[in-house]
Amino acid sequence: MKIIFKLFLFPLLLLPVNSFSQSNKTNLQDKYSSILKYLPGSNLSIQSDTYYAQEANIAGQRLFSNNYIDASIFNKYLNLGLRFEGLTRPIPGFEAHRGRGIANIYLRSNYKSFTLDIGDFYEQFGSGLVLRSYEDRNIGTDNSIRGLKLKYQSPKGIALKLLAGQARNHFDRLVYNQNRGYLYGADIELNSNSLLKTSEKYNWTLISGISAVNKFEKEDFIIVQRDNKSYKLRQNENVMAISSRLRFLYKDFDISAEYAHKFSDPNISNDYSAKYGSAAMLSASYSKQGLSILFAARRSDNFDFRSKRSARDNDLRINFLQAFTQQHSYSLATLHPYATQPQGELALQSEIRYKFAKKSFLGGKYGSTVKFAISNIRGASPISSRGGLNELFFQDINLEFSKKINKKYSFTLNYIYQQYNQEIIEGHKEYEDKYIRSNIFVYEGKHRLNNNFSLRTEFQYLLSPDAEGDWIFALGELSLYKYCILSASQQFNIGLSKEYYYMYSITGIISSHHLQLSYGRTREGWNCSGGVCRYMPETKGLFLSYNFIF
């Protein structure tokens, strides 16, 4: 009980004592509610993730926590918001984010067709080839921009964005830091629906856009080695990236294309090469009742764009290259996730989904769905420090079948084949063969026991002649009265390592409160989202997660 009490108390100790201590929590809620009566609108969200390690680390610490509080008040014309972050002792894997204080603060003003942001904001131009600032707490990504942003949305279908500022770098939250660059950019987009009467009449839409982003960074004292000689690097203080895009929609069709060009940008990721960078993307989809088809392709070459020449890992990214891979949710399918290689890759992805009609031969009484998807990613840059032209980086082939048998039972079957080039993706190889090949079989069943109880089960098997060999995984998740979820999972390696991982949890959901208490052991490895990855060490102990939205 002492351990559980510490788990509840520790996140609150990291917050301002006068505002969120346990003793005055009720009084605080009463005061907050009375204040809200005088405000047109307000939002409050709290997230606290705490880990109590079964064994202490080198410094003798066992208790770790990541805490976030987002609050805002707003009316028709103004929106004032801030975020408090408490990561004085962050969960393993998030050490670079150590800090405590107000990490984001902003004031947004709306007047007619204009919106002005002062402070910290997020923005994306097009698909993000030249600019995307966003937050993903699961992998510790937050490159919000602190500065000014002006947006104009014309009733005639013209949207204009202008911005200037400096990207966030963990808890370095100065208004301006001269040790890294700052950005300014512009984006304009035209929509034919408002500009042309024939567009809406004949049910077609054409959206076009142009973006430009410039990074200014002072020269550094950088020495490079060329032909066994040392040279001082001549650097460009201004680096420009521009892009153009086009999207055409007609009835069931949606086609998009975007091209981006980056001028000379010597940095650590391209070994300080002065070569220009480029990225091109094409996607096409067709969707009607029962059938959907998707095809997408992207080629990038030397397109790692950051606010600092020497930035590594996920730090100070300006742009975003979407991963053209399946976003799996099954544990064994994510053992070896793909991380986008901005120095050069050719990514292809296609997916076909078809739903057999009810009462048909394959559809049965309730219908069934089949999906086939494939992703293939290869090298596309001769200057890449790893890999060559056309070398296979990653491949994922996925066949899925889903069917509802009756009102109480439905299931999904999956077969997934993956090839993972560890030497390219991780920069090293642990085994003689750089490729890790996996055949993954998945069964997921959903059972509605009665109106108040439901059960979800998973059974997974990974068959591989490479790396650690075969794995098995099993999960059971019982939902009780929609307010409580009990779950247990087991993951075994039956190949070389014989490692065993497990997780047991109980989740409570009451109104706006979501509380989960877990105990288990997690595997070290890469945690990825959209092709952006973070290495996470192994953990073993108690986990407490609390979320509240008001």
Side-chain angles (χ1 to χ4, degrees):
M1 292 300 296
K2 290 183 178 180
I3 292 176
I4 296 176
F5 176 75
K6 288 181 179 180
L7 284 167
F8 277 91
L9 183 61
F10 182 74
L12 301 174
L13 294 176
L14 297 178
L15 306 179
V17 177
N18 294 332
S19 300
F20 290 90
S21 64
Q22 185 68 31
S23 61
N24 64 5
K25 182 178 180 181
T26 303
N27 293 334
L28 172 64
Q29 291 176 339
D30 294 339
K31 292 178 181 179
Y32 185 74
S33 299
S34 62
I35 293 174
L36 293 181
K37 294 189 296 184
Y38 302 99
L39 299 173
S42 62
N43 289 316
L44 173 67
S45 68
I46 301 173
Q47 177 181 335
S48 178
D49 299 311
T50 303
Y51 165 55
Y52 184 86
Q54 191 162 323
E55 297 181 1
N57 64 8
I58 297 176
Q61 299 172 339
R62 290 193 177 191
L63 200 54
F64 310 89
S65 189
N66 296 356
N67 303 277
Y68 310 86
I69 298 177
D70 289 273
S72 66
I73 55 175
F74 55 87
N75 59 25
K76 183 178 180 181
Y77 300 103
L78 294 174
N79 186 335
L80 175 63
L82 59 84
R83 180 191 305 145
F84 173 86
E85 297 183 4
L87 290 89
T88 53
R89 201 183 296 169
I91 291 174
F94 293 83
E95 289 83 359
H97 303 272
R98 189 183 310 275
R100 177 181 175 179
I102 296 177
N104 285 48
I105 186 168
Y106 66 87
L107 175 65
R108 179 175 300 139
S109 174
N110 300 289
Y111 181 71
K112 294 184 177 179
S113 300
F114 293 90
T115 301
L116 176 65
D117 283 83
I118 302 174
D120 298 296
F121 57 84
Y122 299 96
E123 187 52 74
Q124 177 172 321
F125 291 169
S127 67
L129 287 183
V130 296
L131 175 71
R132 186 191 183 196
S133 61
Y134 71 107
E135 180 194 20
D136 189 333
R137 291 178 188 172
N138 291 327
I139 58 172
T141 294
D142 188 344
N143 61 338
S144 60
I145 300 172
R146 176 164 289 183
L148 299 171
K149 181 179 71 171
L150 177 65
K151 181 178 179 180
Y152 170 72
Q153 181 66 59
S154 167
K156 295 184 178 181
I158 302 174
L160 176 66
K161 301 174 185 177
L162 301 172
L163 61 85
Q166 194 169 51
R168 175 180 180 176
N169 186 32
H170 307 302
F171 255 94
D172 180 1
R173 299 276 44 199
L174 298 175
V175 176
Y176 172 67
N177 188 325
Q178 62 180 357
N179 293 323
R180 64 177 187 271
Y182 65 85
L183 313 172
Y184 50 91
D187 178 83
I188 185 169
E189 187 171 273
L190 308 178
N191 190 318
S192 65
N193 278 355
S194 301
L195 296 173
L196 301 172
K197 295 182 179 179
T198 56
S199 174
E200 186 174 356
K201 181 180 178 181
Y202 293 102
N203 196 27
W204 64 272
T205 302
L206 185 65
I207 303 173
S208 59
I210 299 175
S211 307
V213 176
N214 188 82
K215 174 195 73 169
F216 175 84
E217 183 184 4
K218 292 181 179 180
E219 282 194 287
D220 299 320
F221 185 79
I222 297 177
I223 302 297
V224 297
Q225 300 291 326
R226 297 287 188 268
D227 300 324
N228 295 322
K229 294 182 180 181
S230 299
Y231 300 91
K232 181 181 178 182
L233 179 68
R234 183 176 180 180
Q235 305 153 46
N236 303 318
E237 291 189 334
N238 288 283
V239 177
M240 174 78 73
I242 57 177
S243 70
S244 61
R245 61 186 183 273
L246 195 64
R247 183 181 182 188
F248 177 72
L249 300 96
Y250 177 67
K251 295 184 178 179
D252 302 321
F253 293 90
D254 185 346
I255 303 173
S256 299
E258 186 169 357
Y259 175 79
H261 178 87
K262 179 166 67 82
F263 292 88
S264 179
D265 180 23
N267 58 68
I268 195 170
S269 67
N270 64 13
D271 196 24
Y272 297 104
S273 168
K275 180 186 174 183
Y276 290 173
S278 65
M281 185 171 69
L282 173 68
S283 66
S285 65
Y286 171 80
S287 178
K288 63 178 300 184
Q289 186 175 5
L291 175 66
S292 64
I293 302 173
L294 168 69
F295 173 79
R298 188 196 69 245
R299 184 186 186 278
S300 58
D301 182 9
N302 187 28
F303 218 77
D304 193 6
F305 194 23
R306 307 196 186 217
S307 295
K308 188 175 179 63
R309 301 179 188 94
S310 57
R312 297 176 180 270
D313 302 322
N314 295 327
D315 294 349
L316 295 170
R317 293 183 184 272
I318 297 174
N319 66 330
F320 175 78
L321 298 176
Q322 178 182 351
F324 280 28
T325 58
Q326 292 291 310
Q327 301 301 300
H328 295 293
S329 59
Y330 298 114
S331 295
L332 296 186
T334 60
L335 279 185
H336 305 292
Y338 181 71
T340 303
Q341 304 297 305
Q343 283 313 308
E345 65 176 25
L346 175 61
L348 303 174
Q349 181 181 20
S350 61
E351 178 182 303
I352 299 175
R353 186 187 299 267
Y354 183 77
K355 183 175 183 179
F356 294 97
K358 296 179 181 179
K359 298 182 179 180
S360 65
F361 177 72
L362 293 176
K365 183 177 179 180
Y366 295 95
S368 57
T369 302
V370 62
K371 182 189 77 171
F372 177 75
I374 183 169
S375 299
N376 189 284
I377 304 175
R378 296 179 176 273
S381 174
I383 73 162
S384 178
S385 58
R386 301 193 306 271
L389 288 170
N390 204 41
E391 180 179 355
L392 179 64
F393 289 179
F394 184 80
Q395 181 171 264
D396 184 300
I397 301 173
N398 181 204
L399 180 62
E400 178 184 287
F401 179 75
S402 301
K403 185 171 181 60
K404 183 177 180 180
I405 301 299
N406 52 48
K407 293 182 179 180
K408 293 187 176 182
Y409 172 62
S410 63
F411 70 89
T412 299
L413 299 176
N414 262 276
Y415 167 70
I416 304 163
Y417 174 73
Q418 294 179 344
Q419 285 193 80
Y420 177 89
N421 190 326
Q422 187 181 45
E423 188 174 46
I424 291 294
I425 300 170
E426 300 180 21
H428 66 95
K429 62 177 183 178
E430 299 178 15
Y431 309 95
E432 184 176 352
D433 193 339
K434 62 184 176 183
Y435 288 105
I436 300 176
R437 305 167 185 85
S438 304
N439 292 276
I440 306 164
F441 304 88
V442 179
Y443 162 83
E444 179 182 7
K446 296 180 180 179
H447 312 259
R448 183 183 176 188
L449 306 179
N450 55 44
N451 291 335
N452 297 316
F453 298 86
S454 63
L455 175 67
R456 187 176 73 88
T457 57
E458 283 183 23
F459 299 98
Q460 305 172 34
Y461 186 87
L462 184 150
L463 176 67
S464 176
D466 306 309
E468 297 173 297
D470 296 2
W471 290 82
I472 58 175
F473 175 91
L475 175 143
E477 185 178 271
L478 180 65
S479 298
L480 311 172
Y481 297 100
K482 299 181 181 181
Y483 299 110
C484 181
I485 301 174
L486 304 175
S487 68
S489 66
Q490 309 278 337
Q491 182 172 315
F492 302 87
N493 177 265
I494 55 176
L496 297 177
S497 68
K498 310 300 182 184
E499 292 289 352
Y500 169 47
Y501 303 95
Y502 49 89
M503 187 63 66
Y504 310 100
S505 68
I506 178 171
T507 303
I509 305 171
I510 301 176
S511 184
S512 300
H513 303 269
H514 185 287
L515 184 67
Q516 182 179 68
L517 180 64
S518 307
Y519 171 76
R521 179 190 181 196
T522 65
R523 179 179 181 270
E524 67 174 338
W526 295 94
N527 182 19
C528 299
S529 176
V532 179
C533 302
R534 175 177 295 279
Y535 180 79
M536 302 297 290
E538 179 182 311
T539 59
K540 183 179 180 181
L542 279 171
F543 302 85
L544 177 68
S545 177
Y546 172 70
N547 287 272
F548 169 74
I549 300 177
F550 185 88

